[in-house]
Amino acid sequence: MAKGGGGGRRSSEETKERLLTAASEVLREEGYSGASARAIATRAEANSALVFYHFGGVDQLLLAALDRSSAERMAMYEELASSARTLEELVEVATRIHRTDLERGYITEFTQLVAAAVSRPELREEIRRRSEPWIDFIAGQWERVVGGSPLGRLLPAREVAYAAITYYLGVNLFSVLDEDQSRSEAVFDLAGTLAPRARLLTLRLPRRADKKEHE
């Protein structure tokens, strides 16, 4: 009996994992409008009733799939960003994150749900809450690298994070017109060109208290 129960739990978890994977794939390929319970279940080779049994509904499944991909991304990008010590290196990290998100469909997954939230108010708070860790992540990396410098005071971390998220959303919508990504890449090329020229603005000036100690 115990062995059968364990097998049942494994089977249930496997089904949930298949549904999560299928939900991400359908959302990226078909968009929110195409992410029906039937479409997702068909991709997962499961009964559509299991979408509601395991997750309570399609939106809850899509949000769970977003949570899973966000956790994967956060672990990957925190490690990547931790190596950045200068503004130039931070721009390089941002460029790699952008390209990875495009290649793996992460941008599409997130922006499809953001677009859906425009007409589905019940999704807005869910998406807003899931955006906060990414705003904190960007703000934290900016503060770590340029905080305390003239550039850091000129461009506060939270405002930089909001601008980055806004660009993140906009670039995916613009990709419809920029199919080869050349215009989006040009933005990162420009940032890479400007970063070395802003080096003086990233130097941290000694605090007044420190100056007195050396006098």
Side-chain angles (χ1 to χ4, degrees):
M1 293 291 290
K3 185 178 292 185
R9 285 193 295 273
R10 284 195 298 273
S11 177
S12 179
E13 288 302 314
E14 289 169 2
T15 299
K16 289 174 68 175
E17 286 299 312
R18 291 205 313 273
L19 287 169
L20 286 167
T21 299
S24 292
E25 292 174 354
V26 171
L27 186 60
R28 294 168 188 175
E29 297 171 17
E30 307 296 334
Y32 180 81
S33 61
S36 65
R38 177 175 294 182
I40 294 170
T42 299
R43 180 75 65 102
E45 298 183 346
N47 189 305
S48 60
L50 293 174
V51 170
F52 301 89
Y53 175 78
H54 286 298
F55 297 97
V58 174
D59 283 349
Q60 293 90 328
L61 170 55
L62 294 175
L63 289 169
L66 178 64
D67 289 340
R68 187 176 72 163
S69 63
S70 290
E72 293 171 356
R73 292 171 63 227
M74 187 65 79
M76 181 167 51
Y77 295 155
E78 280 183 334
E79 181 178 358
L80 177 63
S82 66
S83 63
R85 293 291 181 270
T86 65
L87 181 60
E88 296 99 306
E89 290 173 351
L90 201 58
V91 170
E92 290 175 6
V93 167
T95 303
R96 288 181 61 184
I97 288 175
H98 168 71
R99 289 172 179 166
T100 300
D101 277 1
L102 275 177
E103 291 168 2
R104 300 190 182 184
Y106 291 136
I107 285 182
T108 301
E109 189 175 356
F110 182 65
T111 52
Q112 280 292 324
L113 287 173
V114 171
V118 173
S119 59
R120 295 180 66 83
E122 63 273 19
L123 279 176
R124 292 175 191 171
E125 178 58 25
E126 297 289 348
I127 298 301
R128 187 203 64 76
R129 185 162 54 84
R130 286 165 170 80
S131 300
E132 285 300 322
W134 290 102
I135 292 172
D136 292 340
F137 168 70
I138 297 168
Q141 297 302 325
W142 180 262
E143 185 65 27
R144 180 179 62 80
V145 174
V146 303
S149 69
L151 184 63
R153 290 193 289 273
L154 179 65
L155 300 175
R158 295 295 289 184
E159 281 71 11
V160 169
Y162 293 141
I165 291 291
T166 300
Y167 175 78
Y168 184 92
L169 294 171
V171 73
N172 184 64
L173 297 175
F174 189 70
S175 66
V176 176
L177 304 177
D178 184 29
E179 295 182 0
D180 64 355
Q181 304 301 324
S182 59
R183 297 177 187 178
S184 302
E185 285 290 329
V187 174
F188 285 97
D189 289 342
L190 177 61
T193 300
L194 293 176
R197 301 181 184 185
R199 188 172 294 130
L200 286 177
L201 291 176
T202 64
L203 297 177
R204 292 180 174 84
L205 300 176
R207 294 177 301 178
R208 190 166 299 191
D210 293 336
K211 287 182 178 180
K212 289 183 180 180
E213 290 179 3
H214 291 290
E215 289 176 353

